[in-house]
Amino acid sequence: MAPLPDMIRRAGMTPVVIVKSHSSDDEERVQTEAQLMNSSEAYFAIEDRLYEGDYVEMSDPRGGLIIKVAAEVEQHPMPASMASAFGGSNGYTKVKWGKAQPVRQAPVRRLNLQHLHAEVVSSASALFADNQYDSAVTEAMKSVEVRVRRLTGLELSGAALMQEVFKPKSFMLDVGVEEGRSGSDEREGFFYLFRGAMVGIRNPKAHELAQGDDPHEALEALALASLLHRRMDIAEERLT
């Protein structure tokens, strides 16, 4: 945090937090001070790197936070020869406030392995942590297959098993949650998801995740396995 020029500091400084990339995965928070001239503008040290669109948080004397957004930013650099005359700063930034948009933050901002279905965590988490991404996905899909076989008693495997269990017109496990036509469409959709997971991912010959070194693609496949397990939770509850 660099000092503001003395001519600006005289009115007193207020602790603030500059928030860059507000409410995103790349959010960055920088603590500094600013001279709040009035409700519409303020001054910062030029070294604070405040830009248009950045958010600024400050304490509300009545409690809570005041959040403002930098709508117009004017940078006023100072020559090095004048730095000492201006409190050691290389200049200052004048900011005019705009209206901050309501903060909307997704309930889940990052996909996390530990938040997936317990069957996926049990079968794949150790392999995933060991960077064996292709094996982790294979084991997660195998856990789907094994569970379907256990719930139905069938001795089939892979796509043939899913074909028999999730046939839209004569299903053995009911994974739908909607009623009427919507429910029929939903069951048909999950029929293709279960079968497709076996053909496109479970089958080792079809399972190529960039030579097994892509954790993001692997995590997405594990999320699909988790979704299938959660639908089987619904089906299993109906069997009891």
Side-chain angles (χ1 to χ4, degrees):
M1 179 179 67
L4 277 173
D6 290 339
M7 59 184 290
I8 295 175
R9 289 183 60 89
R10 289 194 188 106
M13 303 297 291
T14 300
V16 300
V17 176
I18 298 174
V19 185
K20 299 180 177 297
S21 302
H22 192 272
S23 295
S24 76
D25 289 344
D26 298 322
E27 182 177 284
E28 178 186 356
R29 303 174 68 85
V30 180
Q31 293 186 344
T32 186
E33 292 181 328
Q35 173 55 60
L36 308 179
M37 302 303 292
N38 50 52
S39 61
S40 62
E41 64 181 37
Y43 290 89
F44 290 76
I46 200 169
E47 291 83 0
D48 286 330
R49 300 185 300 111
L50 183 69
Y51 303 112
E52 290 182 3
D54 287 347
Y55 279 64
V56 176
E57 296 178 354
M58 59 198 77
S59 297
D60 187 336
R62 299 164 296 183
L65 285 177
I66 296 174
I67 302 177
K68 294 181 177 289
V69 64
E72 298 181 26
V73 175
E74 299 177 5
Q75 292 187 334
H76 297 269
M78 298 292 179
S81 60
M82 298 178 62
S84 60
F86 286 91
S89 174
N90 292 318
Y92 65 91
T93 299
K94 179 180 179 180
V95 178
K96 289 188 177 181
W97 302 121
K99 184 177 181 181
Q101 297 297 315
V103 177
R104 299 181 62 188
Q105 182 170 316
V108 178
R109 293 171 62 183
R110 292 184 179 89
L111 185 59
N112 188 310
L113 177 64
Q114 298 306 317
H115 292 159
L116 299 181
H117 192 280
E119 293 280 355
V120 173
V121 174
S122 175
S123 62
S125 62
L127 290 166
F128 191 90
D130 197 35
N131 300 332
Q132 299 182 52
Y133 305 122
D134 50 356
S135 295
V137 171
T138 297
E139 290 303 312
M141 290 301 171
K142 281 173 61 177
S143 74
V144 171
E145 181 182 38
V146 169
R147 190 177 181 193
V148 171
R149 192 181 298 122
R150 175 175 61 81
L151 292 176
T152 62
L154 296 179
E155 296 299 326
L156 298 172
S157 62
L161 175 64
M162 305 305 164
Q163 180 88 25
E164 185 65 24
V165 172
F166 297 104
K167 288 185 294 188
K169 301 298 183 181
S170 55
F171 50 83
M172 297 178 66
L173 294 177
D174 185 3
V175 296
V177 296
E178 301 294 334
E179 301 290 339
R181 177 60 184 272
S182 295
S184 297
D185 291 344
E186 182 183 24
R187 292 180 185 90
E188 182 178 3
F190 271 94
F191 162 72
Y192 288 112
L193 286 175
F194 274 95
R195 189 178 184 281
M198 296 298 107
V199 175
I201 301 177
R202 166 66 177 90
N203 185 339
K205 293 181 180 179
H207 175 50
E208 297 178 2
L209 289 175
Q211 303 301 317
D213 63 357
D214 189 339
H216 302 291
E217 188 174 347
L219 191 56
E220 289 164 357
L222 295 181
L224 174 58
S226 178
L227 172 64
L228 300 181
H229 271 297
R230 294 195 191 285
R231 286 301 175 124
M232 280 193 284
D233 288 345
I234 296 171
E236 185 171 8
E237 186 175 346
R238 288 169 174 165
L239 293 176
T240 58

